[in-house]
Structures are given as structure tokens and as C-alpha cells.
Amino acid sequence: YQRRYMLTIIAGGGTGGHLFPGIALAEELKSRSLDNVVIFVGTKKGIEQRIIPPMGYELKTISGAGIIGRSPLQRARGLFQFLIGFFQSLLLIRSLRPDLVLGTGGYASVSIILAAYLLRVETAICEQNSIPGLTNRMLGRLVKKVFIAFEESDTFFPRKKIYYTGNPVRKEFLSQ
């Protein structure tokens, strides 16, 4: 059985800087074919919890928390939540069988990109900043494609994976 549409998981959030470029990409995918399906993956504590469902997109949540710059106890909790999120991501990818998993940064994207990579699902990240965050610098080594907004960030990723695309912009800003 072969699907007639593209199923994309967009993972990331926590902050608007990670989430809103993902929304712009979802809008573009839907504009190319109404049959395309976009599912967002984030955490229960991130901004995505308030923003995504009212927009009509499905949001799946996984466990996750920051590790860097935390106390030893918070790091231990964060690592435990990462492991839970990783196993949730494996199950999610196996059940949804997406065509693409796209990370936009933040700790919500680590588990899902890593699981997709291990399950041999097409992966990519979007880097919206001139200096990439730690998450995307690490994931840039695993994913098949890295979409960058600023040429200055190309030194952080393998050259053969880089595509200079600029920053995705939501339609509501283009129509004003």
C-alpha cells in the first residue's frame, strides 16, 4: 500500500523561535497539496501546547527537558526525561510511518530526530539563527539535510548537507 500524500513530522518548540518557523513550513507543505499531513511533536510544557491545536494541526507530546546549564539533579531528571522521550519517539515514528521528520531546534527535536535516524526515516533540520544552538549542531551530523537561514551558520554543519533557504515566514506576515 502506498500513500498518496506526504506525512511530515515537525519537531521542536519550547520557544517561539523554534516553533514559528515550523508553522511556516507546515503552511507551505499544506499549500502545495491539501492532502499533505503535518503533525507537530513537542512537549507539554512548551509554547506549542497553546499555539498548535487552535491552528488545526495535530500535536503529539513527548517527554523532554533541558540538560545543559542545570544542577546535577536537574541534569539527571533531564536525562531520564530524554530517555522516556526517545522511546516515545520510536513508538510514534513506528506507528505514524512519516515520510520526513524535520527538527526546528530545542530539546523536543532531539529524541524524535534521533529515533527517525535510527529507523531510517528521512530527516532534516532547520537552523533559523546565524549561530546554531547545541541541539542543531549535534543533529546536523545525523540528518540528511540542513536548511540554514544565514550563510554564517554554514561553518557549523557538513557542507554537503547544507541548503541555504533563508528563514521561513508565516503567511499571515506576507499578506499584510
Side-chain angles (χ1 to χ4, degrees), residues 7 15 20 43 50 55 59-60 69 85 94 99 131 148 162:
L7 172 58
T15 67
F20 290 113
T43 65
R50 294 188 319 272
M55 294 186 82
L59 173 67
K60 302 283 189 181
R94 281 202 149 154
D99 299 293
I131 300 175
I148 62 172
I162 296 173

Side-chain angles (χ1 to χ4, degrees), residues 17-132:
H18 295 303
L19 181 63
F20 290 113
I23 292 170
L25 292 166
E27 290 173 347
E28 181 62 28
L29 288 169
K30 291 297 286 179
S31 76
R32 291 181 181 219
S33 173
L34 293 176
D35 293 331
N36 285 339
V37 175
V38 177
I39 297 174
F40 283 84
V41 172
T43 65
K44 289 182 178 160
K45 295 180 181 178
I47 189 175
E48 58 272 20
Q49 192 70 29
R50 294 188 319 272
I51 303 289
I52 295 300
M55 294 186 82
Y57 293 105
E58 186 175 354
L59 173 67
K60 302 283 189 181
T61 58
I62 58 171
S63 182
I67 297 173
I68 307 301
R70 313 280 183 185
S71 72
L73 181 58
Q74 288 172 321
R75 279 192 294 243
R77 278 192 202 136
L79 184 58
F80 181 69
Q81 287 187 338
F82 163 76
L83 291 172
I84 292 171
F86 173 70
F87 287 109
Q88 290 170 327
S89 297
L90 286 171
L91 292 172
L92 191 61
I93 289 173
R94 281 202 149 154
S95 67
L96 295 175
R97 296 179 39 226
D99 299 293
L100 171 66
V101 176
L102 179 75
T104 59
Y107 52 77
S109 62
V110 176
S111 298
I112 199 87
I113 291 285
L114 184 57
Y117 172 80
L118 292 174
L119 293 172
R120 292 182 168 75
V121 172
E122 196 77 22
T123 56
I125 58 169
C126 290
E127 179 51 60
Q128 300 81 246
N129 304 300
S130 59
I131 300 175

